[in-house]
Amino acid sequence: MKSNIIIANWKMNHSFDDVEPWITKFNQKIENSNLNSTEIIVCPPAILLDYFDEILLEEEFKILEKKGEDVEDLSQEDLEKMTSEIRKINLGAQNCSSHESGSFTGEISAKMISDSGCKYVIIGHSERRKCSNESDNIVKEKILISLKNKLIPILCIGEDLQIRDQKDHLNFIKTQLNNSIPKNQEIEDFIVAYEPIWSIGTGKTPTLEQISEAANFIQKELAGNIDFKIKNLRIIYGGSTNKENSREITSIKNVNGLLVGGSSLDVDEFASISLSVEES
Ligand code: PGA
């Protein structure tokens, strides 16, 4: 059995009032199952990150207290160690600035994201590439700055329908990989999400063969190129995933998980996806 990562990308949805019920319900749903080989990551809007982390900590304190630990008496270091051992959901951001700090109104730095309890950051999502004109070069700068701030990048790549119809999709993703992943840089953990634009939010998913072709291609491109020095590479798929198709997609060789948009908003659906993937 391989290990998978399931990432919820809430995009610009949900608010403060939704965080606690979502977490409580998710924990209830997975309570009696061992999500041993599946890692869950939630990427809420940036303004909710700190609060999300706070609620996770509250839940963890309750679990520790039930186990007889006196949370008040523990040192900060012990508390962090114990809560991270029982943490079921890791946090990720949906974007970060390509700059360290400074006069960039409205932007959020990788350090701020890391300080909010995040382990991961999504970079180069097609919606950002489109709405904010993010080029591969900017994406590369964002990857560099996240690595510097100990965040694990989740790089999104994928072609639009026109490129797919022209059968130029492999060339297209090759260029995206080559232009946006820093070369000659030792990278410990890295995630590539293959997200064909034509499948995002459309209800259209590629065939299993098409996903497999892309995942194998990405694997070969990054493992077979001496310029890339990635120790732990994970390739995931994103685009119109749901509880019906999640298991078969994650059964594909070289696919190590899913980036889930719309279906992550409904906690029942997201929990079902997570549980079905655990069995794949
Ligand atoms: P979707 O979005 O699951 O709603 O298609 C996926 C994504 O954009 O990450």
Side-chain angles (χ1 to χ4, degrees):
M1 198 163 65
K2 59 184 173 144
S3 62
N4 283 299
I5 28 174
I6 305 300
I7 306 173
N9 177 11
W10 281 7
K11 307 192 181 184
M12 202 172 70
N13 294 295
H14 282 332
S15 195
F16 283 90
D17 290 347
D18 302 303
V19 172
E20 191 170 2
W22 195 99
I23 295 175
T24 311
K25 188 108 184 261
F26 183 77
N27 283 339
Q28 279 165 2
K29 289 261 163 190
I30 61 160
E31 200 172 17
N32 297 320
S33 55
N34 293 323
L35 278 182
N36 291 329
S37 58
T38 306
E39 182 181 352
I40 307 297
I41 302 163
V42 180
C43 304
I47 196 159
L48 300 181
L49 285 171
D50 221 23
Y51 180 61
F52 203 111
D53 190 47
E54 199 182 302
I55 302 294
L56 288 177
L57 276 175
E58 272 174 23
E59 295 277 320
E60 286 150 10
F61 285 2
K62 279 187 217 151
I63 296 173
L64 290 177
E65 273 161 2
K66 261 196 208 157
K67 285 185 176 169
E69 296 288 349
D70 191 347
V71 172
E72 307 270 296
D73 266 8
L74 290 169
S75 69
Q76 189 60 25
E77 202 182 322
D78 282 344
L79 201 55
E80 274 174 24
K81 192 167 171 280
M82 287 171 129
T83 51
S84 72
E85 275 166 8
I86 53 171
R87 184 153 283 211
K88 294 194 193 86
I89 300 174
N90 279 312
L91 267 177
Q94 297 175 14
N95 176 40
C96 70
S97 167
S98 56
H99 300 277
E100 197 86 61
S101 63
S103 307
F104 301 100
T105 304
E107 291 288 324
I108 294 171
S109 74
K111 180 168 187 309
M112 293 167 188
I113 288 167
S114 176
D115 289 349
S116 304
C118 285
K119 241 177 113 175
Y120 296 89
V121 58
I122 298 175
I123 297 179
H125 191 284
S126 59
E127 286 155 11
R128 292 208 54 84
R129 290 179 192 259
K130 191 172 163 216
C131 304
S132 308
N133 290 323
E134 273 185 22
S135 63
D136 283 344
N137 212 27
I138 291 179
V139 168
K140 189 196 279 179
E141 284 169 17
K142 292 187 176 197
I143 292 175
L144 280 167
I145 214 145
S146 7
L147 291 170
K148 198 169 159 199
N149 285 280
K150 311 261 172 301
L151 292 166
I152 301 176
I154 304 161
L155 166 67
C156 299
I157 57 166
E159 78 287 352
D160 65 19
L161 197 54
Q162 200 186 353
I163 295 171
R164 166 63 65 172
D165 286 344
Q166 289 163 354
K167 301 201 181 356
D168 202 24
H169 52 287
L170 296 182
N171 264 335
F172 182 81
I173 57 180
K174 182 182 173 130
T175 306
Q176 283 191 316
L177 291 172
N178 273 286
N179 291 350
S180 51
I181 304 182
K183 295 196 171 128
N184 298 316
Q185 162 110 11
E186 307 281 342
I187 303 177
E188 185 73 17
D189 288 292
F190 198 78
I191 300 171
V192 177
Y194 172 58
E195 296 210 302
I197 296 169
W198 49 275
S199 75
I200 296 176
T202 58
K204 281 188 218 149
T205 43
T207 62
L208 298 182
E209 289 71 28
Q210 286 173 325
I211 299 174
S212 173
E213 180 196 42
N216 290 339
F217 182 79
I218 295 164
Q219 171 70 36
K220 271 210 199 101
E221 227 10 73
L222 297 183
N225 184 334
I226 52 161
D227 289 341
F228 296 121
K229 299 181 168 44
I230 303 172
K231 202 163 160 205
N232 301 313
L233 168 71
R234 285 174 294 179
I235 299 162
I236 62 174
Y237 167 79
S240 296
T241 51
N242 53 46
K243 62 175 190 274
E244 269 80 42
N245 60 23
S246 49
R247 191 170 169 182
E248 54 179 11
I249 295 175
T250 50
S251 306
I252 301 173
K253 187 172 169 250
N254 284 332
V255 174
N256 299 106
L258 304 171
L259 181 48
V260 186
S263 299
S264 72
L265 298 177
D266 175 356
V267 64
D268 289 307
E269 173 89 14
F270 187 70
S272 300
I273 293 174
S274 307
L275 293 170
S276 73
V277 165
E278 172 72 13
E279 293 155 17
S280 70

